[in-house]
Amino acid sequence: MRSSPVPPRPSHPHPRSHLYVPADQPRFLRSAARTEADAVILDLEDAVAPLHKDAARAAAVGFALGRQDGGPELWVRVNGGARGLDDARALLATGRVDGLWMPKASAGAELDTLAAAVGAAVTSAGGSVALGLLVESAAGVLSLGTAARHPAVRRIQLGEVDLRADLRMEPDSARGDGLLDWARGPVVAHTVAHGLECAVAPVSVHTSDSTAFRASSLRLRALGFQGRACIHPHQVTVANEVFGTDPTELADAHALLDLFERHEHAGSGAFRDGRGAMVDAATVRRARDLTGRAVARTHEDRPDRT
């Protein structure tokens, strides 16, 4: 097993873009090494024909072993069932993957088995490997509360192409309709409630329509998603912009926290900012999330220097 350290995470609080790459396509793998995506997902499942599954696994292992330090996070979408467990063991043995995505995830024995494989690999080699739930079925949505509590789970992603098929819905012909908002909400809510890393918005199959992709990404961000899965490099650029932190927004958040800390020091509670908007605990919490600033210590909290 290779003992090289896993490269550091991107500098952003959460990956803004998660690019799917079919692991059996050498040309796409070469491009993945130069991607601007914050995370790469090597796909061994739906994007790979059954006859190419073994070759895809071998290519994914080779890609992981040749991974350069300082690049994007590296995740792998494994197959389901026994093949998926073999996929997981092969990739985990490299010691060079950040996480695995479980397809068509739901609570139950299969999740427990995959999580146990991740846990065994971490115990054997050290380091940290995360597990992500790719929710693509009615059963996955309905059991999300149980699955998200699993200690190995770190992320949730909504797979709407398969979910629509499972629910006998029409494909996403409207390029951003809100018919699955009822499933999107629980993904975000369980991510927050269980302290998971991020909620990943679903892919869009309309790779040639950047305008629609931007519009739907803005809407998904407004719903609480923190990044988006992509299937084309053009989508990565848009996702990085939409789910990144705008410099003006960041500066405003710092200014709001400065103002809040002054009011707090003076003993004030809620107050209005310079634009007349009410500032309260929820507003401050969002500003802290954006800036990463910790709660300022009060005079009583500061160490005695006398």
Side-chain angles (χ1 to χ4, degrees):
M1 180 183 296
R2 183 169 176 170
S3 59
S4 302
V6 173
R9 299 289 196 273
S11 59
H12 308 282
H14 307 286
R16 304 162 296 175
S17 51
H18 306 249
L19 178 63
Y20 275 100
V21 179
D24 65 333
Q25 300 294 322
R27 177 168 63 92
F28 294 147
L29 287 176
R30 288 193 295 270
S31 297
R34 304 185 300 273
T35 184
E36 295 181 355
D38 290 339
V40 167
I41 304 173
L42 300 183
D43 195 355
L44 303 181
E45 198 222 12
D46 280 355
V48 179
L51 291 177
H52 298 161
K53 295 285 187 180
D54 291 339
R57 181 194 296 161
V61 167
F63 185 93
L65 290 173
R67 178 186 181 193
Q68 298 298 308
D69 290 350
E73 292 183 5
L74 181 60
W75 288 62
V76 181
R77 174 163 73 168
V78 298
N79 287 283
R83 175 175 285 278
L85 189 58
D86 288 342
D87 291 338
R89 288 170 174 157
L91 270 299
L92 291 168
T94 68
R96 300 288 289 175
V97 297
D98 292 301
L100 303 177
W101 282 106
M102 178 184 179
K104 300 172 181 62
S106 62
E110 190 168 340
L111 172 58
D112 294 339
T113 301
L114 185 58
V118 171
V122 170
T123 300
S124 174
S128 176
V129 180
L131 185 59
L133 303 175
L134 185 50
V135 180
E136 304 176 277
S137 67
V141 174
L142 295 178
S143 69
L144 189 51
T146 300
R149 286 196 295 270
H150 201 292
V153 173
R154 293 291 179 272
R155 295 179 182 174
I156 307 176
Q157 180 185 163
L158 190 60
E160 292 189 0
V161 174
D162 283 274
L163 180 58
R164 285 174 181 269
D166 191 47
L167 295 171
R168 302 180 182 87
M169 296 174 64
E170 293 184 359
D172 182 17
S173 57
R175 304 193 180 193
D177 66 49
L179 295 178
L180 283 177
D181 281 358
W182 62 269
R184 295 165 180 165
V187 167
V188 174
H190 284 296
T191 294
V192 175
H194 298 292
L196 306 184
E197 292 177 358
C198 56
V200 183
V203 304
S204 170
V205 298
H206 306 290
T207 58
S208 61
D209 193 339
S210 294
T211 300
F213 185 77
R214 181 181 296 278
S216 63
S217 294
L218 287 167
R219 188 174 186 279
L220 288 164
R221 176 177 175 170
L223 287 173
F225 286 96
Q226 297 153 303
R228 189 165 192 185
C230 305
I231 57 175
H232 194 283
H234 295 327
Q235 295 178 331
V236 167
T237 301
V238 176
N240 285 346
E241 293 175 0
V242 171
F243 292 96
T245 302
D246 181 84
T248 301
E249 183 181 15
L250 184 61
D252 288 346
H254 276 294
L256 184 143
L257 289 176
D258 291 340
L259 186 60
F260 170 76
E261 288 167 5
R262 289 198 296 271
H263 277 264
E264 185 179 44
H265 183 71
S268 300
F271 60 94
R272 295 187 184 277
D273 64 15
R275 299 170 184 167
M278 182 63 69
V279 176
D280 57 13
T283 314
V284 171
R285 178 180 175 183
R286 171 165 170 73
R288 293 203 190 283
D289 287 343
L290 284 172
T291 61
R293 279 172 58 172
V295 177
R297 291 187 297 181
T298 65
H299 177 73
E300 290 75 12
D301 294 329
R302 292 171 184 148
D304 186 358
R305 297 181 181 273
T306 58

